[in-house]
């Protein structure tokens, strides 16, 4: 649906306008995908509550999951946004590409996390026993497993919203992984 509009502040509810104002202060702009949630009276607040909820994963670990899930779901918006956020969390370009592919040769524990996120997404939640065993063997806990699954769901929501609406990407566009592996 390429003609799906990104609502402006004056086109959304008062509650969503307040969220737009907070995003403007915190991020410097209202990302198009967040604005798209504001077509709903409640979706933007609900999504931000989920996305910003307490978790056992660090911000950097969350980016590992976000990148792997967004790659499997082929969401250019989320890949672009999380490439930028991943860099802000200390990953370099090569590490980000590797995380997108579901591994991290530079860190065994993050590799297990990326592999789990990729496997969960590819298999619609039915992670393979070997991937889960590797996850635990590298030091992750049951709490981390549950929080990773919640984060896969969180990121999948945004991936689906962008794939359905195709709103313009307002981050530097991440290149397709396939074109970078040549």
């Amino acid at each position: 649906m390429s003609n799906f509009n990104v609502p402006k502040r004056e086109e959304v509810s008062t509650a969503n306008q307040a969220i737009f104002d907070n995003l403007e202060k915190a991020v410097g702009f209202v990302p198009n995908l967040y604005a798209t949630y504001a077509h709903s009276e409640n979706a933007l607040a609900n999504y931000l509550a989920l996305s910003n909820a307490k978790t056992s994963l660090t911000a950097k670990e969350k980016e590992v999951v976000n990148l792997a899930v967004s790659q499997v779901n082929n969401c250019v918006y989320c890949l672009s946004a999380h490439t930028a956020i991943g860099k802000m969390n200390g990953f370099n370009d090569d590490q980000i590409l590797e995380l997108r592919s579901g591994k991290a040769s530079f860190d065994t524990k993050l590799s297990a996390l990326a592999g789990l996120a990729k496997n969960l997404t590819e298999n619609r939640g039915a992670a393979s026993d070997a991937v889960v065993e590797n996850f635990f063997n590298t030091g992750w806990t049951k709490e981390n497993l549950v929080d990773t699954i919640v984060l896969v769901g969180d990121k999948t929501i945004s991936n689906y919203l962008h794939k359905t609406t195709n709103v313009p990407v307002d981050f530097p566009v991440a290149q397709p992984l396939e074109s970078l592996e040549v």
Side-chain angles (χ1 to χ4, degrees):
M1 186 183 279
S2 61
N3 292 329
F4 205 89
N5 74 305
V6 176
K8 294 176 179 28
R9 185 183 185 282
E10 60 274 7
E11 298 171 326
V12 302
S13 70
T14 304
N16 282 329
Q17 286 178 4
I19 296 170
F20 276 30
D21 294 344
N22 289 335
L23 285 167
E24 187 79 40
K25 288 176 194 159
V27 183
F29 70 108
V30 178
N32 285 342
L33 195 59
Y34 283 176
T36 302
Y37 279 103
H39 280 290
S40 164
E41 175 69 28
N42 300 301
L44 179 57
N46 290 344
Y47 180 75
L48 290 173
L50 174 61
S51 187
N52 296 319
K54 288 183 180 181
T55 178
S56 62
L57 302 177
T58 67
K60 192 169 188 172
E61 292 163 351
K62 286 174 66 173
E63 290 315 308
V64 170
V65 175
N66 290 335
L67 287 161
V69 171
S70 296
Q71 183 63 52
V72 172
N73 288 328
N74 195 29
C75 179
V76 68
Y77 190 99
C78 294
L79 285 169
S80 300
H82 291 289
T83 292
I85 298 167
K87 288 178 183 179
M88 292 181 341
N89 278 283
F91 292 118
N92 66 38
D93 289 330
D94 291 338
Q95 291 170 331
I96 287 170
L97 293 174
E98 210 176 334
L99 292 168
R100 286 173 56 184
S101 70
K103 56 188 179 245
S105 64
F106 57 92
D107 185 304
T108 305
K109 194 170 180 184
L110 292 181
S111 190
L113 178 61
L116 176 65
K118 178 181 181 189
N119 189 261
L120 280 165
T121 308
E122 288 174 336
N123 296 304
R124 298 180 184 204
S128 76
D129 290 342
V131 169
V132 174
E133 184 176 331
N134 181 56
F135 181 79
F136 289 134
N137 287 341
T138 59
W140 296 102
T141 66
K142 290 177 182 176
E143 178 184 21
N144 299 142
L145 176 71
V146 172
D147 286 346
T148 299
I149 292 168
V150 170
L151 185 54
V152 168
D154 163 348
K155 191 45 43 201
T156 299
I157 293 166
S158 282
N159 293 166
Y160 285 10
L161 183 61
H162 185 261
K163 297 286 286 186
T164 299
T165 63
N166 200 29
V167 296
V169 177
D170 48 0
F171 291 89
V173 178
Q175 296 304 306
L177 194 57
E178 299 77 37
S179 71
L180 300 168
E181 292 177 342
V182 176

